[in-house]
Amino acid sequence: MNSEALLELMVEACDNKRAEDIMTFDVKETSSVTDYYIICHGNSDRQVQAIADEIKEQAKENDLEPLVEGYSEGKWILCDLNDVIVHVFHRPEREYYNLERLFKNGEHVDGRI
């Protein structure tokens, strides 16, 4: 699966669980780690975990095994799928860390592909 198709699949997975303010960043030109970042948030620990569960399920259905960090706390879950990295935040943590500012060199892509 190419990185654009994976990006679309992961945005859809986030949207399936009603993630809010889904933002995508194309960092192919500026990052040696990944092609795309997705940042979104949920309004409770449980919703954040449900979003991460959907990401994991969609990945496994496509023979991918994501690396997942921060699941048990449900405040900031990182799902690393190599070409796409998804940051799923609880709203207060997203506002506090404001990761979007780090990707000012990445091209912001609309939330829906």
Coordinates of all heavy atoms in Angstrom, one line a residue, residues 7-45:
L7 N -2.5 6.9 4.2 CA -3.0 8.2 4.8 C -4.5 8.3 4.7 O -5.2 8.5 5.7 CB -2.4 9.4 4.1 CG -2.9 10.8 4.5 CD1 -2.4 11.0 6.0 CD2 -2.4 11.8 3.6
E8 N -5.1 8.0 3.6 CA -6.5 8.0 3.4 C -7.2 7.0 4.3 O -8.2 7.3 5.0 CB -6.9 7.8 1.9 CG -8.3 8.0 1.7 CD -8.6 7.9 0.2 OE1 -7.8 8.2 -0.6 OE2 -9.8 7.5 -0.2
L9 N -6.7 5.8 4.4 CA -7.2 4.8 5.3 C -7.2 5.2 6.7 O -8.2 5.0 7.5 CB -6.5 3.5 5.1 CG -6.9 2.3 5.9 CD1 -8.3 1.8 5.4 CD2 -5.9 1.1 5.8
M10 N -6.1 5.8 7.2 CA -6.0 6.2 8.6 C -6.9 7.4 8.9 O -7.5 7.5 10.0 CB -4.5 6.5 8.9 CG -3.7 5.3 8.9 SD -4.2 4.0 10.1 CE -4.9 2.8 9.0
V11 N -7.0 8.4 8.0 CA -8.0 9.5 8.2 C -9.4 8.9 8.3 O -10.1 9.3 9.2 CB -7.8 10.5 7.0 CG1 -9.0 11.5 7.1 CG2 -6.5 11.2 7.1
E12 N -9.7 8.0 7.5 CA -11.0 7.4 7.5 C -11.2 6.6 8.8 O -12.3 6.7 9.5 CB -11.2 6.4 6.4 CG -12.6 5.9 6.1 CD -12.7 5.1 4.8 OE1 -12.2 5.6 3.7 OE2 -13.1 4.0 4.9
A13 N -10.2 5.9 9.3 CA -10.3 5.2 10.6 C -10.6 6.2 11.7 O -11.4 6.0 12.6 CB -9.0 4.4 10.9
C14 N -9.9 7.3 11.7 CA -10.1 8.4 12.8 C -11.5 8.9 12.7 O -12.2 9.1 13.7 CB -9.1 9.5 12.6 SG -7.4 9.0 12.9
D15 N -12.0 9.2 11.5 CA -13.3 9.7 11.3 C -14.4 8.7 11.7 O -15.4 9.2 12.2 CB -13.4 10.1 9.8 CG -14.7 10.9 9.6 OD1 -14.9 11.9 10.3 OD2 -15.5 10.6 8.6
N16 N -14.1 7.5 11.5 CA -15.1 6.4 11.9 C -15.4 6.5 13.3 O -16.5 6.1 13.7 CB -14.6 5.0 11.5 CG -14.6 4.7 10.1 OD1 -15.2 5.4 9.3 ND2 -13.9 3.7 9.7
K17 N -14.5 6.9 14.2 CA -14.7 7.0 15.6 C -14.9 8.4 16.1 O -14.8 8.8 17.2 CB -13.6 6.4 16.4 CG -13.5 4.9 16.1 CD -14.8 4.2 16.6 CE -14.7 2.7 16.3 NZ -15.9 2.0 16.7
R18 N -15.3 9.3 15.1 CA -15.6 10.7 15.4 C -14.5 11.5 16.0 O -14.8 12.4 16.9 CB -16.9 10.8 16.2 CG -18.1 10.1 15.6 CD -19.4 10.4 16.3 NE -20.5 9.6 15.8 CZ -21.2 10.0 14.8 NH1 -20.9 11.0 14.1 NH2 -22.2 9.2 14.4
A19 N -13.3 11.2 15.5 CA -12.2 12.1 15.9 C -12.5 13.5 15.5 O -13.1 13.7 14.4 CB -10.9 11.6 15.3
E20 N -12.0 14.5 16.2 CA -12.2 15.9 15.9 C -11.0 16.5 15.4 O -9.9 16.2 15.7 CB -12.8 16.6 17.1 CG -14.2 16.1 17.5 CD -14.8 17.0 18.6 OE1 -14.3 18.1 18.9 OE2 -15.7 16.5 19.2
D21 N -11.2 17.5 14.6 CA -10.2 18.4 14.0 C -9.0 17.6 13.5 O -7.8 17.7 13.9 CB -9.7 19.4 15.1 CG -8.9 20.6 14.5 OD1 -9.0 20.8 13.3 OD2 -8.2 21.2 15.3
I22 N -9.3 16.7 12.5 CA -8.3 15.8 11.9 C -7.4 16.7 11.0 O -7.9 17.3 10.1 CB -8.9 14.7 11.1 CG1 -9.8 13.8 12.0 CG2 -7.9 13.8 10.5 CD1 -10.7 12.8 11.3
M23 N -6.1 16.7 11.3 CA -5.2 17.5 10.4 C -4.1 16.5 9.9 O -3.7 15.7 10.6 CB -4.6 18.6 11.2 CG -5.5 19.6 11.7 SD -4.7 21.0 12.7 CE -4.0 21.8 11.3
T24 N -3.8 16.7 8.6 CA -2.7 15.9 8.1 C -1.6 16.8 7.5 O -1.9 17.9 7.1 CB -3.3 15.0 6.9 OG1 -3.8 15.9 5.9 CG2 -4.3 14.1 7.4
F25 N -0.4 16.3 7.6 CA 0.8 17.0 7.2 C 1.7 16.2 6.3 O 2.0 15.1 6.7 CB 1.6 17.5 8.4 CG 0.8 18.4 9.3 CD1 0.0 17.9 10.3 CD2 0.9 19.8 9.1 CE1 -0.7 18.8 11.2 CE2 0.2 20.7 9.9 CZ -0.6 20.2 10.9
D26 N 2.0 16.7 5.2 CA 2.9 16.0 4.2 C 4.3 16.5 4.5 O 4.6 17.6 4.4 CB 2.5 16.4 2.8 CG 3.4 15.8 1.7 OD1 4.5 15.3 2.1 OD2 3.0 15.8 0.6
V27 N 5.1 15.5 5.1 CA 6.5 15.9 5.5 C 7.5 15.1 4.7 O 8.6 15.0 5.2 CB 6.6 15.7 7.0 CG1 5.8 16.7 7.8 CG2 6.3 14.3 7.4
K28 N 7.1 14.6 3.5 CA 8.1 13.8 2.7 C 9.4 14.5 2.4 O 10.4 14.0 2.4 CB 7.4 13.4 1.4 CG 6.4 12.3 1.5 CD 5.8 11.9 0.2 CE 4.9 13.0 -0.3 NZ 3.7 12.6 -0.8
E29 N 9.2 15.8 2.2 CA 10.4 16.7 1.9 C 11.3 17.1 3.1 O 12.4 17.4 2.9 CB 10.0 17.9 1.1 CG 9.2 17.6 -0.1 CD 10.0 16.9 -1.2 OE1 11.2 17.2 -1.4 OE2 9.4 16.0 -1.8
T30 N 10.7 17.0 4.3 CA 11.4 17.5 5.4 C 11.7 16.4 6.5 O 12.4 16.8 7.5 CB 10.6 18.6 6.1 OG1 9.3 18.2 6.4 CG2 10.5 19.8 5.1
S31 N 11.2 15.2 6.3 CA 11.4 14.2 7.4 C 12.0 12.9 6.8 O 11.6 12.5 5.7 CB 10.0 13.9 8.0 OG 10.2 12.8 8.9
S32 N 12.9 12.4 7.5 CA 13.5 11.1 7.1 C 12.8 9.9 7.8 O 13.1 8.8 7.6 CB 15.0 11.0 7.4 OG 15.2 11.2 8.8
V33 N 11.8 10.3 8.7 CA 11.1 9.3 9.5 C 9.9 8.8 8.9 O 9.5 7.6 8.9 CB 10.8 9.9 10.9 CG1 10.1 9.0 11.8 CG2 12.1 10.4 11.6
T34 N 9.1 9.7 8.3 CA 7.8 9.3 7.7 C 7.4 10.2 6.6 O 8.1 11.2 6.3 CB 6.7 9.4 8.9 OG1 5.5 8.8 8.4 CG2 6.5 10.8 9.3
D35 N 6.3 9.9 5.9 CA 5.8 10.7 4.8 C 4.7 11.6 5.3 O 4.6 12.8 4.8 CB 5.2 9.8 3.7 CG 6.3 9.1 2.9 OD1 7.5 9.5 3.1 OD2 6.0 8.1 2.2
Y36 N 3.8 11.2 6.2 CA 2.7 11.9 6.7 C 2.5 11.8 8.2 O 2.8 10.8 8.8 CB 1.4 11.4 6.0 CG 1.3 11.6 4.5 CD1 1.6 10.6 3.7 CD2 1.0 12.9 4.0 CE1 1.6 10.8 2.3 CE2 0.9 13.1 2.6 CZ 1.2 12.0 1.8 OH 1.2 12.2 0.4
Y37 N 2.0 12.9 8.8 CA 1.6 12.9 10.1 C 0.1 13.2 10.1 O -0.4 14.0 9.4 CB 2.3 14.0 11.0 CG 3.7 13.6 11.4 CD1 4.8 14.1 10.7 CD2 3.9 12.8 12.5 CE1 6.1 13.8 11.1 CE2 5.2 12.5 12.9 CZ 6.3 13.0 12.2 OH 7.5 12.7 12.5
I38 N -0.6 12.6 11.0 CA -2.0 12.9 11.3 C -2.1 13.3 12.8 O -1.6 12.6 13.6 CB -3.0 11.7 11.0 CG1 -2.9 11.3 9.6 CG2 -4.4 12.1 11.4 CD1 -3.6 10.0 9.3
I39 N -2.9 14.4 13.0 CA -3.1 14.8 14.4 C -4.6 15.0 14.5 O -5.3 15.6 13.7 CB -2.4 16.1 14.7 CG1 -0.9 16.0 14.6 CG2 -2.8 16.6 16.2 CD1 -0.2 17.3 14.7
C40 N -5.2 14.4 15.6 CA -6.6 14.5 15.8 C -6.8 14.4 17.4 O -5.9 14.1 18.1 CB -7.4 13.4 15.1 SG -7.1 11.7 15.6
H41 N -8.1 14.6 17.8 CA -8.3 14.4 19.2 C -9.7 13.8 19.4 O -10.6 13.9 18.6 CB -8.1 15.7 20.0 CG -9.2 16.7 19.7 ND1 -9.0 17.7 18.8 CD2 -10.4 17.0 20.3 CE1 -10.0 18.5 18.8 NE2 -10.9 18.1 19.7
G42 N -9.9 13.3 20.6 CA -11.2 12.8 21.1 C -11.5 13.6 22.4 O -10.6 14.3 22.9
N43 N -12.7 13.4 22.9 CA -13.1 14.2 24.1 C -13.1 13.5 25.4 O -13.6 14.0 26.4 CB -14.5 14.8 23.8 CG -14.5 15.9 22.7 OD1 -13.7 16.8 22.7 ND2 -15.3 15.7 21.7
S44 N -12.7 12.2 25.3 CA -12.5 11.4 26.6 C -11.4 10.4 26.4 O -11.1 10.1 25.2 CB -13.9 10.7 26.9 OG -14.1 9.7 26.0
D45 N -10.9 9.9 27.5 CA -9.9 8.8 27.4 C -10.4 7.6 26.6 O -9.7 7.1 25.7 CB -9.5 8.3 28.8 CG -8.9 9.4 29.6 OD1 -8.7 10.6 29.1 OD2 -8.6 9.2 30.8

